[in-house]
């Protein structure tokens, strides 16, 4: 970025506009009903103070419209696009969830197919249903030393493109929840060589561009579109996300229309302003901030790896497997402690007042962000060091396994979800039927069945085993997992 562009990046058009309006004490005869915060319940106002609610406005010319931006929102989106070096950026107020849905609907027509790793966030599956496309699943790889799943290697994508030349797009999740990034440079080359488009769910990577010791970001690697949760690591408020568009082959006007169809007509301007400010902060201070966060994370990783029972994999270990790692994400494996990740999560929360972002049987995931400081990191490390010596779980013998998920897609997920008659059959008798539901055990946190798929005996056995252990499976709809909803007549 040149000096002129850097100076421009100091601007925050949405924030400045809202601030100007707030200072003028405008009498509100518009929504929302609390009227500049005056009508809010005092419990909320007393706790938060009231100035923030002066920003809670609705669409009128002064503050611009998210659906048809012509002034401050347009300027802010242009500054975002310039910051990330893309053709256009669009602000989202329903997180990367709506971004993933919009990306699929914009890149594909109903009936198209998309190559996608099964290790995808549930918003991808809802996008597949909304877009009316056929998913071509790639089975994620299980790493039983690290107890995590990996997204596809470039070779797997190349093989899938050879096997399914009709695919319109490839959708990759990078970074994964664990901060592992795929080789997007190679993947982008392969996907474009086959004449397809590359979509990336980069919900966990809005910061990658701002420090050279972080993995390459999706648009720098050549993605046609990517979605980022600006709220996850940068400083936007929850729900604040962005779609970056950088494609010669996708219709940008179609994307604009779809984003507009899926988003509220009453966006929260506080969220919009926070996306605007987060961009400014990242461009102007990102390198310094992430220098510090990377140092803190690496310091924590080293200390965790000196404990007896916990470990956090390193960038080197991930690179040896053909991927890269955003080191600001700490995946903390607890299996040697005899505890599950969920048990250590509960100890951290109850005994130490520390909350991590996620936990499963094997791991905790501690996410760092622009607000992480040394004191926080020391508290986490000290707590883990104390738990390591003071607490002992009873050894368990869990292994991360997933059944083979490359089953036949008989019907399109959308068709089953919206229009098929269904019935319930016992799991033991479900093999051969077509699933009418999504079942996602945690771990591994990926669906073992989705609507439209032929149910195999292997999947039935896997689910019966979970049911015997009384492990709850997301989407099961009943208290006990004894039956599966299937397509009644086909
Ligand atoms: C990989 C991935 N994609 C998408 C999402 C959805 O993001 P959001 O919460 O911003 O809607 C998440 C949320 O955790 C995620 O982990």
């Amino acid at each position: 970025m040149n000096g002129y562009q850097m100076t421009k990046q100091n601007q925050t058009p949405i924030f400045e506009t809202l601030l100007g309006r707030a200072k003028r004490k405008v009498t509100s005869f518009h929504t929302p009903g609390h009227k500049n915060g005056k009508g809010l319940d005092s419990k909320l106002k007393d706790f938060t103070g009231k100035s923030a609610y002066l920003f809670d406005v609705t669409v009128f010319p002064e503050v611009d419209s998210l659906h048809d931006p012509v002034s401050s929102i347009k300027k802010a989106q242009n500054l975002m696009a310039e910051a990330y070096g893309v053709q256009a950026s669009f602000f989202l107020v329903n997180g990367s969830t709506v971004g993933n849905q919009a990306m699929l609907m914009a890149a594909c027509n109903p009936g198209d197919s998309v190559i996608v790793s099964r290790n995808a966030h549930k918003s991808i599956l809802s996008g597949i249903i909304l877009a009316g496309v056929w998913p071509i699943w790639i089975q994620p790889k299980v790493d039983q030393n690290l107890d995590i799943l990996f997204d596809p290697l470039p070779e797997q994508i190349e093989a899938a493109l050879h096997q399914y030349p009709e695919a319109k797009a490839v959708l990759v999740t990078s970074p994964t929840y664990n901060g592992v990034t795929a080789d997007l440079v190679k993947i982008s080359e392969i996907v474009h060589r086959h004449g397809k488009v590359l979509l990336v769910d980069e919900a966990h990577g809005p910061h990658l561009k701002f420090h050279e010791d972080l993995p390459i970001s999706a648009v720098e690697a050549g993605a046609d579109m990517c979605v980022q949760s600006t709220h996850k690591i940068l400083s936007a408020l929850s729900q604040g996300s962005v779609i970056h568009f950088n494609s010669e082959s996708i219709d940008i006007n179609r994307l604009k229309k779809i984003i507009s169809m899926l988003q509220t007509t009453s966006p929260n301007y506080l969220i919009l302003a926070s996306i605007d400010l987060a961009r400014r902060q990242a461009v102007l201070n990102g390198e310094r901030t992430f220098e510090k966060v990377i140092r803190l994370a690496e310091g924590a990783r080293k200390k965790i790896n000196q404990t007896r029972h916990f470990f956090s994999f390193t960038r080197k270990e991930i690179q040896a497997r053909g991927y890269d790692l955003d080191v600001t994400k700490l995946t903390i494996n607890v299996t040697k402690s005899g505890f599950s990740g969920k048990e250590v999560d509960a100890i951290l929360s109850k005994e130490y007042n520390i909350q991590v972002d996620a936990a499963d049987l094997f791991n905790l995931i501690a996410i760092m962000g622009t607000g992480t400081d040394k004191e926080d990191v020391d508290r986490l490390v000290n707590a883990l060091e104390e738990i390591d010596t003071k607490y002992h779980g009873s050894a368990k013998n869990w292994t991360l396994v997933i059944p083979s998920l490359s089953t036949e897609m008989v019907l399109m997920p959308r068709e089953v979800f919206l229009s098929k008659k269904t019935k319930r059959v016992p799991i033991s008798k479900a093999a051969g039927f077509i699933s009418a539901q999504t079942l996602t055990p945690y771990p591994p946190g990926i669906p073992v069945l989705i609507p439209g798929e032929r149910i195999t005996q292997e999947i039935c056995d896997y689910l019966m085993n979970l049911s015997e252990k009384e492990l709850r499976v997301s989407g099961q709809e009943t208290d006990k997992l004894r039956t599966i909803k299937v397509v009644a007549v086909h």
Side-chain angles (χ1 to χ4, degrees), residues 94-98 100 121 123 173 175 177 201 203-204 229 231-232 241:
N94 191 21
S96 292
T97 295
V98 78
N100 281 332
H121 186 256
S123 54
T173 303
Y177 214 148
D201 174 356
H204 290 279
S229 292
H231 67 93
K232 284 198 199 294
S241 288

Side-chain angles (χ1 to χ4, degrees), residues 29-150:
F29 277 95
H30 58 72
T31 60
H34 62 65
K35 308 294 170 194
N36 296 324
K38 286 185 295 177
L40 279 170
D41 191 286
S42 55
K43 277 190 183 172
L44 183 60
K45 230 181 343 183
D46 290 349
F47 180 69
T48 60
K50 57 183 183 191
S51 13
Y53 306 109
L54 288 165
F55 277 24
D56 190 14
V57 296
T58 190
V59 184
F60 44 81
E62 184 185 357
V63 295
D64 207 5
S65 158
L66 183 61
H67 293 266
D68 188 16
V70 291
S71 54
S72 55
I73 295 179
K74 184 175 179 185
K75 276 189 208 150
Q77 292 190 147
N78 287 345
L79 286 165
M80 179 68 82
E82 214 168 279
Y84 282 85
V86 294
Q87 293 170 37
S89 299
F90 301 98
F91 288 4
L92 307 172
V93 288
N94 191 21
S96 292
T97 295
V98 78
N100 281 332
Q101 294 165 347
M103 223 171 26
L104 279 160
M105 290 175 76
C108 303
N109 289 316
D112 284 344
S113 43
V114 182
I115 294 172
V116 52
S117 169
R118 190 71 164 222
N119 185 24
H121 186 256
K122 62 201 237 183
S123 54
I124 305 277
L125 182 55
S126 62
I128 285 169
I129 291 174
L130 289 171
V133 295
W134 290 95
I136 297 168
W137 298 109
I138 300 191
Q139 172 106 357
K141 281 194 302 169
V142 178
D143 190 312
Q144 285 172 341
N145 291 318
L146 307 181
D147 298 314
I148 61 167
L149 299 176
F150 281 102

